[in-house]
Amino acid sequence: MSKLTDLMGGAIGYFWTALDDFDALDRARPGHVRLSDDGDLLLDLLAPHEAPSSEDPLPSSLVATTSVGGALFVDVHQGRLAAPHGGYRVSTRTYRAHGVVVGAPLRNLRSDGFLDVSAYFPGMASWAGVAGSSTSPSTDEHGRLKSLAITVQAAESRSENLSRGRRLELSTHWQVDGPEDRRIIYTPVEFKISATRPAKWTELVPPLQSIQGLLSLAYEGLVVADGGRVTMDTDQPPMESPTWWTARLMRRPEGAQAPRSMTEIPSFDLGTIGGIAGLRRWIELTDKHPRATGPLVARHRYGLHNVETRLMEVAAAIEYWVSAHRRSAQWARRSLGKGSFAANLAARVGTPFTDLVGDPMAWARKFWSTNNLLKHEPNSEYDAYEVSVLADTGAVLLQSALLNRVARTTNPAQVVCGSHRYDHLGRQVRGLLGA
């Protein structure tokens, strides 16, 4: 990771806004790249010959030869020209990028596409049901530890096909670093998205973001990836593996909370939702129904909102999910009185949610009347504590329903609602309802 660290610390080089122009010095722009305070890669390029009114279309990627090696910048989302009039300041064009491949074999690239991208998530072996290492202790006749053998190897890959010619793979990555007397063993869980043809990052990274969102729900905090690897569209295999970084998976935005503990038992694991097939269905669900999954994941990805906004977002997601099934499912059409959207979903999840809140119909009425109060009577008084408790239980209900869908069983609701993580919440909501 040293080259990546050096690049983010600040590096100078020549930059090209089109891969086809690479190595043409007359089209090169001298410049500087660094990691900005807000987590973007900031590329400041000299543009002395650009007119202030000139338009430069946003490139899909930029290539560079820098003081730390070749780099391909992807996920470029902003380009701005600063062209001062008069004086002694030179014009510059600044780009912002969310991703970079350091050590990219630039001369062998056929395009800026990828054949696969993967992300490493350490501490996930138990959650995913895989292991990248095992230990074999040996003791003497007195039962004292005499030696310890450590075996490191990649777990057998499990895979599922995704839409648009993509494939999901789950395995483990491993590497051993350090001198002989201070070995460092690294065996994270690896999630990989591959394609049958070179693909843009926009096709391969979103499924990894969906997986990250699921992990964050299980651990109640944004689980950040710790590196990864890519296979690029090249004429021949590179001499060394390039290093990949993306802010979308590997940076915790300001305000986003880390999980309280990665060793605490999560509220559910991969087996709860049906293994790798359930993970595929979660990716598909996130892609098809972002209005349902988004409010659950957003809390962890972007940080906490105020409790009023959280309740209204969760209520909107519940209304959307129930409405999306009213034509196809009897449970969504039932008339259950006030708060029918929440009541229908509570009835659908059934006993596990009842055990959590005590009286699900009373909870639904309270939840929906509070939602209406916040939406339509903004000057009314309310108890922020009650709003917080109702919002959190609404999120548990929606999460249970969605995980039931991807697992194709009711087991996730039983596991989630029965998790020790929600014991305190259950006592709070039952106290609020007088149940």
Side-chain angles (χ1 to χ4, degrees), residues 18-54:
L19 181 60
D20 291 341
D21 292 340
F22 175 67
D23 251 3
L25 289 180
D26 60 327
R27 296 186 179 92
R29 298 185 182 187
H32 179 266
V33 59
R34 63 180 173 85
L35 187 67
S36 67
D37 293 337
D38 58 3
D40 277 349
L41 289 163
L42 205 62
L43 291 76
D44 292 313
L45 314 185
L46 297 181
H49 305 299
E50 284 197 56
S53 60
S54 65

Side-chain angles (χ1 to χ4, degrees), residues 32-81:
H32 179 266
V33 59
R34 63 180 173 85
L35 187 67
S36 67
D37 293 337
D38 58 3
D40 277 349
L41 289 163
L42 205 62
L43 291 76
D44 292 313
L45 314 185
L46 297 181
H49 305 299
E50 284 197 56
S53 60
S54 65
E55 293 187 7
D56 191 4
L58 196 65
S60 63
S61 62
L62 290 96
V63 292
T65 56
T66 74
S67 53
V68 299
L72 173 71
F73 297 90
V74 296
D75 198 356
V76 182
H77 61 94
Q78 187 183 98
R80 178 176 55 85
L81 177 67

Side-chain angles (χ1 to χ4, degrees), residues 216-401:
S216 300
L217 287 178
Y219 284 90
E220 294 190 293
L222 183 62
V223 178
V224 177
D226 184 22
R229 55 183 171 182
V230 299
T231 301
M232 309 187 73
D233 181 23
T234 59
D235 292 323
Q236 56 188 12
M239 297 296 293
E240 60 178 344
S241 297
T243 301
W244 177 57
W245 181 86
T246 172
R248 296 181 182 273
L249 296 170
M250 302 170 190
R251 177 177 66 87
R252 182 172 289 111
E254 184 177 355
Q257 298 294 314
R260 182 174 57 193
S261 171
M262 293 304 296
T263 58
E264 184 181 356
I265 298 174
S267 58
F268 63 91
D269 59 27
L270 184 60
T272 305
I273 63 169
I276 188 72
L279 188 58
R280 169 183 57 79
R281 289 190 288 267
W282 170 260
I283 294 172
E284 293 170 346
L285 181 73
T286 302
D287 186 53
K288 185 177 181 181
H289 297 287
R291 290 172 60 184
T293 61
L296 294 178
V297 175
R299 180 187 188 186
H300 304 304
R301 190 176 297 283
Y302 304 113
L304 296 173
H305 299 299
N306 58 53
V307 294
E308 299 86 354
T309 300
R310 175 160 167 75
L311 187 143
M312 288 188 289
E313 287 184 347
V314 171
I318 289 175
E319 181 175 355
Y320 164 80
W321 184 247
V322 174
S323 297
H325 292 83
R326 285 207 158 160
R327 290 187 177 181
S328 59
Q330 178 62 36
W331 67 265
R333 294 193 296 269
R334 295 174 62 188
S335 178
L336 298 175
K338 293 182 178 180
S340 61
F341 292 108
N344 284 11
L345 196 60
R348 173 66 171 172
V349 171
T351 301
F353 189 68
T354 299
D355 292 341
L356 180 69
V357 303
D359 186 339
M361 295 302 106
W363 173 87
R365 291 191 294 271
K366 183 74 172 176
F367 178 84
W368 214 257
S369 64
T370 303
N371 176 55
N372 288 334
L373 178 73
L374 296 174
K375 287 172 59 178
H376 305 301
E377 301 178 46
N379 295 323
S380 298
E381 294 185 359
Y382 55 85
D383 187 330
Y385 166 79
E386 290 188 1
V387 174
S388 176
V389 172
L390 291 169
D392 287 345
T393 46
V396 171
L397 173 63
L398 180 59
Q399 177 181 323
S400 298

